[in-house]
């Protein structure tokens, strides 16, 4: 009668561990396993002075076994960390900085918006063009009074300066 109950208790304990409980389960399992091993060592020293150590050996062995099982269940319940690629990270940060820039623009902190714009442009040009520059408050900050409108920094077609004939540059007669 004790065997099925014990098996049911083990099954419930090992399958009920969720990711939220996993760190505590691992800590409890570690303490139980080390406590059981410590008890086994102490019992081996006590065997010299008494002949009735069977109950102690069985109890500490079960404690250690349950501790190891609990630690394993807690360790298996923790999900593995997701690995984020560089483009995914840059895309995520571009979105985060766009949200921060929108808040700063609504608070009237335009110098911050302009600093964030350069970062968003570096992280993800698509987010910059299709999300960042579509927010009317951000556009007001970026192209506000006294600020040149964003445009290409290098002219697309080279412009030559016109040749001006000046009478002052003519050779003397």
């Amino acid at each position: 009668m004790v065997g099925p109950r014990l098996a049911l208790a083990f099954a419930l304990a090992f399958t009920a561990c969720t990711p939220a409980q996993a760190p505590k389960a691992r800590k409890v399992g570690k303490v139980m396993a080390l406590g059981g091993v410590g008890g086994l060592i102490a019992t081996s020293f006590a065997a010299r002075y008494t002949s009735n150590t069977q109950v102690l050996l069985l109890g500490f062995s079960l404690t250690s076994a349950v501790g190891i099982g609990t630690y394993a269940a807690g360790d298996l319940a923790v999900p593995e960390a997701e690995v984020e690629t560089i483009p995914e990270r840059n895309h995520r940060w571009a979105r985060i900085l766009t949200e921060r820039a929108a808040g700063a623009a609504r608070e009237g902190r335009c110098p911050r918006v302009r600093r964030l714009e350069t970062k968003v442009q570096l992280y993800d040009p698509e987010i910059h063009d299709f999300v960042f520059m579509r927010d009317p408050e951000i556009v007001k900050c970026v192209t506000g009074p006294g600020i040149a409108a964003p445009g290409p920094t290098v002219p697309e077609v080279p412009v030559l300066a016109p040749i001006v004939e000046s009478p002052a540059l003519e050779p003397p007669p």
Side-chain angles (χ1 to χ4, degrees), residues 9 14 21 35 51 62 101 133 143:
F14 293 141
Q21 301 163 335
S51 61
L62 284 175
M133 294 307 288
T143 62

Side-chain angles (χ1 to χ4, degrees), residues 100-101 103-116 141:
R100 290 181 184 174
R106 280 154 184 70
E107 293 171 1
R109 298 182 348 212
C110 292
R112 176 168 170 77
V113 174
R114 288 189 291 276
R115 284 192 310 269
L116 291 173
C141 270

Side-chain angles (χ1 to χ4, degrees), residues 20-151:
Q21 301 163 335
K24 291 179 184 175
R26 287 184 18 218
K27 186 181 290 185
V28 168
K30 183 172 27 175
V31 169
M32 285 179 68
L34 293 174
V37 170
L40 288 170
I41 293 170
T43 302
S44 68
F45 286 124
R48 174 191 270 178
Y49 304 108
T50 182
S51 61
N52 194 6
T53 59
Q54 293 293 339
V55 175
L56 291 173
L57 286 173
L58 182 63
F60 287 126
S61 296
L62 284 175
T63 302
S64 184
V66 169
I68 291 169
T70 305
Y71 185 86
D75 199 35
L76 293 174
V78 176
E80 289 187 30
E82 293 182 22
V83 178
E84 185 177 40
T85 64
I86 299 295
E88 289 172 342
R89 184 202 62 195
N90 290 347
H91 183 78
R92 179 174 55 86
W93 271 105
R95 285 201 174 277
I96 290 169
L97 294 178
T98 299
E99 290 174 10
R100 290 181 184 174
R106 280 154 184 70
E107 293 171 1
R109 298 182 348 212
C110 292
R112 176 168 170 77
V113 174
R114 288 189 291 276
R115 284 192 310 269
L116 291 173
E117 180 195 9
T118 58
K119 292 180 181 179
V120 171
Q121 176 70 34
L122 288 174
Y123 281 136
D124 194 338
E126 289 182 3
I127 294 287
H128 176 267
D129 295 343
F130 297 114
V131 179
F132 192 91
M133 294 307 288
R134 299 287 170 107
D135 187 320
E137 295 296 321
I138 291 176
V139 171
K140 283 180 194 174
C141 270
V142 173
T143 62
I147 300 170

